Amino acid sequence: MYILGIESSCDETAAAVVKDGREVISNIVATQIAEHRLYGGVVPEIASRRHCENIYQVVSAALEDAHLKLSDIDAIGVTYAPGLIGALLVGVSFAKGLSLTSGVPLVNVHHIAGHIASNYISHKELEPPYLCLVASGGHSHIIEVSSYTKYKVIGRTRDDAAGECFDKAARTLGFEYPGGKFIDAAAKRGDPFAFSLPHPRVQGSEYDFSFSGLKTAVINLVHNASQKGEEINRDDLAASFQRTVCEILVGNTIKAAVNGGYKTIAVAGGVSANSGLREAMQKACDEHGFKLYVPSLTYCGDNAAMIASQGYYDYISGKRAGLDLNGIATLPLDKISV
Ligand code: KG4
Ligand code: ZN
């Protein structure tokens, strides 16, 4: 069964064809990062306009690369939530037009469910139930994945997402947007124990995250040093910052796995590309005898293959979208119905 996936929730216009939920036949991503970088972050209106300009070519290229016609496609899976509303509406409207003219069924896919599915592409043997940490630019969630379409979010960020914290710390350290990967590279050269940074705790929920205090600590360190005319070793601060974020992400995830009796852990989202996180999570999983799954680097960031993969599981579970499908900017994963 072939699913065409379409993704436009943020700053990547993406389309892909995936066979039976696991085998990527084509995967096209048109990124807008270079343009948004000029503004230090994603500018929603520019993102919508670029999606509008690019989506036809991106979807056509995904079908062409797959050597398939629209009539060969069993269903169209499109990201409808959460994300930038103007950006989502481009993908949703385009997918509705395609479905209407071709008669191919339409399936609405939740973006976070898509990130979770990225591990189905990279690991053919992975099956629910398992515990998944999703850490991206917009989200930091610990999720009980009980089936391919049933989720319970048991931990979430109370303020900044992990990727957002990486990007803000990176900006303070003088790196370009999005700075997560630059912190990752600098951390390899620095001493992770050079600085001691706060591990903010969240009252009342043992699995929730709070990253804004950590971001502020980095900003204060850099500003105080510059006021005193002191030089801060950027690699050391990057390494210490990364160690702290990883300790927080890994700590909460492992605690949730132990308490919930999970033996299998997955990590997904843009931050799952971080080498420090992959290493720290692997070490913790080895110590506890847990099996760890992380996506291959191609599928960590936003892409449409993960949307097509989840679209397959949604489709075979009976989920369908009508021509009244709308984009939704904010929609908790465990509030979707299949
Ligand atoms: O999943 P994603 O592509 O988009 C969202 O859905 O938000 O995640 C983007 C985030 C950005 O904050 C980016 O800095 C971060 O993922 N990221 C990284 C790395 N690569 C991307 N953060 C830390 N280390 C990396 N290697
Ligand atoms: Zn994403």
Side-chain angles (χ1 to χ4, degrees):
M1 190 174 285
Y2 291 107
I3 309 293
L4 170 67
I6 298 178
E7 155 66 38
S8 70
S9 67
C10 190
D11 58 348
E12 330 277 356
T13 318
V17 177
V18 171
K19 188 178 175 194
D20 298 333
R22 302 267 177 168
E23 189 188 338
V24 178
I25 310 296
S26 67
N27 184 36
I28 307 289
V29 182
T31 181
Q32 310 169 1
I33 279 180
E35 194 171 1
H36 295 292
R37 185 169 282 153
L38 303 173
Y39 305 94
V42 177
V43 182
E45 185 175 331
I46 294 178
S48 312
R49 288 172 185 274
R50 295 299 164 262
H51 288 311
C52 202
E53 288 163 10
N54 295 335
I55 195 152
Y56 174 75
Q57 286 89 332
V58 167
V59 173
S60 303
L63 287 169
E64 250 167 57
D65 271 18
H67 303 292
L68 293 171
K69 297 186 295 297
L70 200 49
S71 53
D72 301 317
I73 298 295
D74 295 280
I76 301 164
V78 64
T79 306
Y80 75 113
L84 302 172
I85 193 64
L88 285 166
L89 289 176
V90 176
V92 166
S93 301
F94 190 86
K96 280 160 69 166
L98 270 191
S99 172
L100 176 67
T101 52
S102 63
V104 176
L106 185 63
V107 181
N108 50 319
V109 178
H110 193 282
H111 184 77
I112 305 298
H115 274 300
I116 293 170
S118 63
N119 273 303
Y120 299 140
I121 295 169
S122 300
H123 307 285
K124 308 289 180 239
E125 74 281 14
L126 175 63
E127 285 177 7
Y130 58 90
L131 193 70
C132 189
L133 167 70
V134 179
S136 72
H139 311 275
S140 304
H141 286 344
I142 298 177
I143 300 161
E144 290 182 339
V145 183
S146 51
S147 78
Y148 287 105
T149 54
K150 292 223 164 16
Y151 317 89
K152 187 171 175 207
V153 179
I154 59 167
R156 51 171 54 80
T157 184
R158 295 289 182 94
D159 39 56
D160 293 349
E164 199 179 350
C165 186
F166 262 102
D167 294 340
K168 287 176 176 167
R171 191 179 180 154
T172 306
L173 294 179
F175 294 114
E176 283 187 322
Y177 174 85
K181 65 175 184 203
F182 299 113
I183 294 219
D184 195 348
K188 292 198 171 105
R189 301 184 293 263
D191 172 6
F193 294 96
F195 294 91
S196 177
L197 296 165
H199 289 64
R201 299 250 174 276
V202 178
Q203 292 294 321
S205 173
E206 54 182 340
Y207 309 134
D208 280 1
F209 303 106
S210 168
F211 289 109
S212 72
L214 180 56
K215 165 195 73 188
T216 310
V218 172
I219 293 172
N220 288 344
L221 261 170
V222 171
H223 285 181
N224 290 345
S226 92
Q227 274 176 349
K228 287 189 210 149
E230 289 169 8
E231 183 98 0
I232 277 201
N233 183 314
R234 187 161 82 157
D235 293 347
D236 284 351
L237 186 49
S240 303
F241 166 80
Q242 181 170 293
R243 172 183 61 83
T244 309
V245 176
C246 293
E247 281 169 3
I248 295 166
L249 291 172
V250 172
N252 285 15
T253 307
I254 295 291
K255 203 189 324 165
V258 170
N259 292 346
Y262 286 91
K263 296 264 176 258
T264 305
I265 293 180
V267 184
V271 180
S272 67
N274 184 266
S275 60
L277 178 62
R278 292 165 92 101
E279 227 172 79
M281 193 66 93
Q282 188 61 64
K283 188 163 172 270
C285 285
D286 289 347
E287 279 164 16
H288 287 82
F290 298 159
K291 178 90 183 111
L292 174 67
Y293 292 95
V294 291
S296 66
L297 292 178
T298 313
Y299 302 114
C300 290
D302 288 348
N303 65 87
M306 68 186 196
I307 301 302
S309 171
Q310 183 55 37
Y312 167 79
Y313 290 106
D314 285 343
Y315 180 72
I316 61 172
S317 76
K319 190 176 180 183
R320 300 288 183 274
L323 289 174
D324 57 350
L325 178 65
N326 202 349
I328 306 174
T330 308
L331 180 67
L333 179 60
D334 41 12
K335 296 287 177 291
I336 58 176
S337 52
V338 175

